[in-house]
Amino acid sequence: MEMSEAKLDGNAIAGLLREIFTMEMTTSETTCAGCGSVSVVGRVDVYLNAPGVVVRCPSCEQVLMRIVHGRGRYWLDLRGTRCLEFVAPD
Amino acid sequence: MGFISRGFRGKRRDNVSSSRVPPGQHVVTDFPVLAAGPTPRVSLDVWTFSVTGEIDEPKQWTWKEFRALPTETLTADIHCVTKWSKLDTSWTGVSVDTLLDGVESAADFATVFSDGGYTTNLPLDDLTGKKAWVVYEYDGQPLHPEHGGPVRLLVPHLYFWKSAKWVRGITLQNEEQPGFWESNGYHMRGDPWREQRYWGD
Ligand SMILES: [Zn+2]
């Protein structure tokens, strides 16, 4: 289990985000609260080998989201996401 | 569908006494690498370790000064909240007692901070009294960057997320301020023997 590069992309959390937001989220767009760059969620940096999921801005590496799942709950920290834009369901 | 990696399935050592393995944990023989971000690389020429915050005279060591401090080698069992435990790990470093020697402070809490922006909070009582070290060697070798090198905190009696990798200093505080994981669902203290994993445990 020695991994030198643990970085994945947003597709690695497609299912997790669908579970939380009950819709497809990888095509949504997130604005980084740090550098202001806009990223498609499918292209963000994702780290899974941690106590929770850490999503980082592909431009500046700042944390966009922290997602913890335990005891039948989710905790979702979006301080690093200034705006999350996604298509409303029909 | 399992979306979040909840833990690593390593080899089990079934002959291990359960008195050494906290509830809900299993023993691994490898050393899983956990990462919440890219591995920071810092030149030892500019590296420092600081004690700041509620302290009359902040302290700071360069790498050379830090390595000149008295060291200890210890063997400890470590317990990750992702449910693996690793027994008899060997470390060398400087005890936090040594770093705080002579410090005048009324603080009861601390935030440990690292390169890459990671933080974790601890009551000062969990950092002092021969319970915590700032380590630079694992198993007789320089600590690999993946495992937190050049130095990481080691607080073996708490879940391993408290043992911050790439640690650069300690901020002493009068009030407890939740760190990177503690602010988003993880327990403020994280005692593995009481399974203090999440808020409300
Ligand atoms: Zn950014």
Side-chain angles (χ1 to χ4, degrees):
Chain A
M1 194 62 71
E2 297 290 333
M3 287 158 294
S4 56
E5 191 47 84
K7 186 170 78 177
L8 303 171
D9 70 23
N11 293 304
I13 53 167
L16 171 66
L17 294 177
R18 204 181 303 124
E19 195 169 291
I20 294 171
F21 292 96
T22 66
M23 64 179 76
E24 177 56 41
M25 293 297 287
T26 51
T27 54
S28 65
E29 292 186 330
T30 172
T31 306
C32 175
C35 73
S37 72
V38 179
S39 305
V40 175
V41 167
R43 301 229 185 280
V44 295
D45 294 346
V46 170
Y47 293 84
L48 293 181
N49 297 324
V53 172
V54 180
V55 177
R56 289 180 181 268
C57 173
S59 296
C60 75
E61 298 186 336
Q62 181 171 306
V63 176
L64 294 169
M65 305 180 198
R66 267 170 271 227
I67 307 170
V68 171
H69 184 194
R71 301 271 188 266
R73 287 169 191 274
Y74 288 111
W75 288 273
L76 190 54
D77 183 328
L78 294 171
R79 274 178 294 178
T81 295
R82 186 198 299 161
C83 180
L84 189 62
E85 177 184 326
F86 49 96
V87 177
D90 293 331
Chain B
M1 294 161 80
F3 303 122
I4 304 185
S5 172
R6 300 298 317 159
F8 299 90
R9 293 277 158 199
K11 286 179 191 156
R12 288 160 194 270
R13 264 201 284 174
D14 291 327
N15 57 347
V16 168
S17 161
S18 62
S19 67
R20 290 182 66 182
V21 184
Q25 300 290 109
H26 67 270
V27 173
V28 299
T29 52
D30 60 350
F31 193 168
V33 174
L34 269 69
T39 300
R41 308 278 169 170
V42 59
S43 164
L44 294 179
D45 294 338
V46 297
W47 183 94
T48 57
F49 192 92
S50 307
V51 180
T52 62
E54 297 294 328
I55 176 174
D56 289 343
E57 292 180 43
K59 301 176 87 169
Q60 188 174 80
W61 296 264
T62 64
W63 178 253
K64 206 174 161 190
E65 291 164 344
F66 175 80
R67 289 291 284 102
L69 292 168
T71 64
E72 297 173 22
T73 295
L74 66 140
T75 300
D77 301 343
I78 56 177
H79 311 290
C80 180
V81 76
T82 62
K83 302 205 168 173
W84 55 265
S85 291
K86 187 170 177 59
L87 306 183
D88 297 319
T89 59
S90 171
W91 306 86
T92 300
V94 178
S95 86
V96 175
D97 296 308
T98 297
L99 296 169
L100 296 182
D101 189 33
V103 164
E104 297 284 335
S105 175
D108 288 325
F109 301 98
T111 291
V112 173
F113 57 92
S114 300
D115 278 320
Y118 186 81
T119 59
T120 187
N121 58 284
L122 303 101
L124 206 49
D125 281 348
D126 280 316
L127 279 176
T128 55
K130 298 259 170 221
K131 293 197 286 286
W133 294 264
V134 176
V135 295
Y136 58 86
E137 263 182 25
Y138 169 71
D139 213 10
Q141 300 294 323
L143 187 59
H144 194 283
E146 281 188 347
H147 286 301
V151 301
R152 77 179 299 159
L153 186 67
L154 178 68
V155 194
H157 72 286
L158 299 178
Y159 280 125
F160 211 45
W161 89 76
K162 298 286 186 182
S163 294
K165 298 196 221 184
W166 313 303
V167 65
R168 290 291 293 274
I170 301 169
T171 305
L172 303 177
Q173 293 159 324
N174 293 327
E175 289 170 19
E176 196 161 35
Q177 294 185 10
F180 187 92
W181 290 119
E182 295 87 352
S183 62
N184 193 46
Y186 277 100
H187 198 274
M188 288 293 268
R189 178 138 190 275
D191 180 347
W193 295 99
R194 299 162 82 179
E195 277 212 86
Q196 293 173 337
R197 299 177 192 273
Y198 303 103
W199 289 1
D201 284 350

